[in-house]
Amino acid sequence: MPNYFALIPAAGSGSRMEQSLPKQYLSLHEKPMIFHSLNVLCQNQFISKVIVVLAPEDKHWFTYDWSEFNDKLLVFTCGGATRADSVRNGLLAAKQDNLVNTQDWILVHDAARPCLTASQLNKLLHELAGDETGGLLAVPVADTLKRADSENRVTATEPREHLWQAQTPQMFRYEILIQALQNTANKPITDDASAVELMGLSPKLIMSDTQNFKVTYPQDLALAELILQNRKTHD
Ligand code: CTP
Ligand code: MG
């Protein structure tokens, strides 16, 4: 039986957030943002270990108390220049430590998606359990899509049929994911699935919802705060 591992790339600086503290440490619902992703992944009974990949120069992680996650949480300080580099370095470090086997499932999840729910995570695990390739949480595009020229004038309205927004976790077998990321080492890819697609494989889209959005801009923090607060009141 394959094991399940989560890997959280958390070596970014959060430049679009425009704050000096990297966004994964910004306070959200009384915790650093990354806590919420760690919490849902560490509490999942199918996931054996949760690996966090930090920037080698990260001085913030060790100022917080993570002891509640015990030995389910592993920290690697091998983050790279891009998200894909951080994921690839984390995967290679896990293999070097004999932690993972080639057929194990790896769930890559952004530190900046703190609103992932246990039920979305379980749906992903359940729907992809017997899959050959793997896949990702995603939502069908809801807005009308405009193509623009360099002056922001509309040149076309694009059909949104069959278009989805990719989220995380993205779940692939170790062997496929590492090969995909090695093949695309110098290509500007922004998620794991696109590297897998370039191998000619078709990851499966698993229906999620917009609450699992990526906190990117300053105004996103208030929305994430509201979502988490609202859940607490209704627990
Ligand atoms: N990430 C990473 N290593 C990098 C860049 C990003 O591990 N070199 C991680 C981020 O920490 C985040 C996830 O990848 O958890 C998604 O990336 P993004 O939302 O783009 O975060 P940042 O790159 O930090 O933000 P920005 O692009 O605004 O600078
Ligand atoms: Mg980025």
Side-chain angles (χ1 to χ4, degrees):
M1 285 294 278
N3 289 311
Y4 291 85
F5 292 88
L7 188 150
I8 305 188
S13 63
S15 55
R16 287 169 288 181
M17 192 57 80
E18 297 168 358
Q19 297 214 22
S20 54
L21 192 61
K23 69 177 169 182
Q24 56 272 28
Y25 298 116
L26 292 176
S27 180
L28 184 64
H29 209 51
E30 295 166 14
K31 300 279 185 188
M33 187 187 303
I34 191 174
F35 171 91
H36 302 286
S37 297
L38 286 173
N39 201 30
V40 69
L41 292 164
C42 285
Q43 280 184 18
N44 189 284
Q45 56 172 325
F46 300 106
I47 296 177
S48 341
K49 297 274 183 203
V50 177
I51 300 164
V52 177
V53 180
L54 303 178
E57 67 278 10
D58 190 320
K59 298 276 183 295
H60 304 286
W61 172 267
F62 302 96
T63 65
Y64 301 95
D65 177 11
W66 306 104
S67 56
E68 71 185 87
F69 300 123
N70 303 316
D71 56 1
K72 188 140 179 187
L73 179 61
L74 294 174
V75 182
F76 292 167
T77 50
C78 57
T82 66
R83 180 189 183 280
D85 291 338
S86 298
V87 174
R88 188 172 50 248
N89 292 351
L91 290 174
L92 291 173
K95 195 81 174 78
Q96 209 165 31
D97 286 4
N98 280 328
L99 197 63
V100 291
N101 290 315
T102 51
Q103 288 308 306
D104 287 339
W105 285 109
I106 309 291
L107 284 87
V108 184
H109 182 58
D110 293 327
R113 290 187 192 270
C115 300
L116 173 70
T117 64
S119 70
Q120 286 163 341
L121 176 59
N122 280 322
K123 186 175 178 198
L124 180 78
L125 292 171
H126 180 74
E127 293 197 21
L128 293 177
D131 202 88
E132 287 282 297
T133 303
L136 60 147
L137 289 181
V139 280
V141 168
D143 293 323
T144 300
L145 294 174
K146 303 292 186 189
R147 185 169 297 280
D149 64 14
S150 58
E151 263 127 46
N152 291 353
R153 292 271 165 197
V154 175
T155 57
T157 297
E158 301 286 350
R160 66 171 178 234
E161 214 191 352
H162 302 306
L163 285 184
W164 294 61
Q165 280 180 271
Q167 298 182 341
T168 69
Q170 304 202 347
M171 171 173 156
F172 298 101
R173 304 272 183 178
Y174 181 92
E175 189 174 48
I176 290 180
L177 187 55
I178 192 66
Q179 197 190 329
L181 291 171
Q182 301 279 32
N183 292 347
T184 51
N186 296 312
K187 293 199 174 121
I189 54 153
T190 55
D191 74 346
D192 315 289
S194 50
V196 171
E197 291 153 37
L198 288 169
M199 289 172 73
L201 298 171
S202 294
K204 182 150 194 219
L205 297 165
I206 307 297
M207 178 77 81
S208 174
D209 65 69
T210 52
Q211 288 200 6
N212 182 29
F213 74 106
K214 185 154 69 76
V215 177
T216 305
Y217 298 102
Q219 63 270 25
D220 296 342
L221 277 171
L223 179 57
E225 181 73 40
L226 265 177
I227 291 170
L228 295 173
Q229 245 173 44
N230 191 44
R231 275 185 202 155
K232 190 134 200 188
T233 354
H234 292 93
D235 270 353

